[in-house]
Amino acid sequence: MISMKQKICNVCIILFPIALGVVAAFLIIIMKVPAITLPRVEFILNAVISCATTISGFVITSVSILIGATSSEIMKEIKAQGGFIRYTEALILGIITIVYFIFLGATLDETACICRLFISVSAGILVAYGYSVISAGYYLLSIIGLLNKIKST
């Protein structure tokens, strides 16, 4: 059973990357960043989509490996800490990133001018996704450290 303190911590873990992304988007709007014209914007969009797809694949693979060890001590500890929330959030934000940048590539015209709204939403999504992936990676490294502690005892 998850305690109330753990539930509050899980909600904060979920909301912090999203709040950080919203702050980044509002900063772009407040700073009045002008529309940007990028002559070969499709390469940037392809790179973002490829990176998000690769990282999402890594998240899915790491979760499937962890699920394979369902009865181990490490899985009991992960479940007790609510660790799968971080992976789920990184995966969902990865899908949102991929879908948004596909949409952005489909809606840009021949001038490749990206308006301020699209720039701010892009910054917000990338900041939220980046923080979420870093958080999930850090958590994965802490699991490896926890695994070493269990082996040594």
Side-chain angles (χ1 to χ4, degrees):
M1 190 76 180
I2 298 175
S3 68
M4 184 58 109
K5 182 179 177 183
Q6 187 65 37
K7 286 181 184 180
I8 292 171
C9 184
N10 288 344
V11 169
C12 291
I13 288 170
I14 290 171
L15 292 180
F16 188 74
I18 296 168
L20 201 60
V22 169
V23 167
F26 278 126
L27 282 175
I28 297 290
I29 292 172
I30 289 171
M31 292 186 324
K32 297 183 179 174
V33 173
I36 298 173
T37 301
L38 297 172
R40 305 283 299 219
V41 72
E42 65 272 1
F43 288 117
I44 295 171
L45 296 175
N46 286 336
V48 170
I49 292 168
S50 296
C51 288
T53 304
T54 303
I55 292 170
S56 295
F58 171 75
V59 169
I60 290 172
T61 303
S62 63
V63 169
S64 67
I65 290 170
L66 289 174
I67 288 174
T70 54
S71 62
S72 68
E73 287 294 320
I74 194 74
M75 279 305 293
K76 292 175 185 172
E77 186 67 27
I78 292 170
K79 288 178 183 175
Q81 294 179 5
F84 286 112
I85 291 172
R86 294 168 200 231
Y87 293 115
T88 305
E89 181 181 41
L91 185 60
I92 290 171
L93 286 173
I95 292 169
I96 290 171
T97 302
I98 293 166
V99 169
Y100 175 74
F101 281 97
I102 289 172
F103 165 78
L104 185 61
T107 57
L108 287 178
D109 58 1
E110 295 81 32
T111 63
C113 183
I114 306 171
C115 70
R116 185 185 313 167
L117 177 66
F118 283 155
I119 293 170
S120 65
V121 172
S122 299
I125 288 174
L126 287 175
V127 166
Y129 180 58
Y131 182 84
S132 178
V133 166
I134 290 170
S135 174
Y138 179 78
Y139 187 72
L140 181 62
L141 290 174
S142 71
I143 290 171
I144 293 169
L146 182 63
L147 183 62
N148 289 333
K149 285 182 184 178
I150 290 173
K151 283 184 179 180
S152 66
T153 58

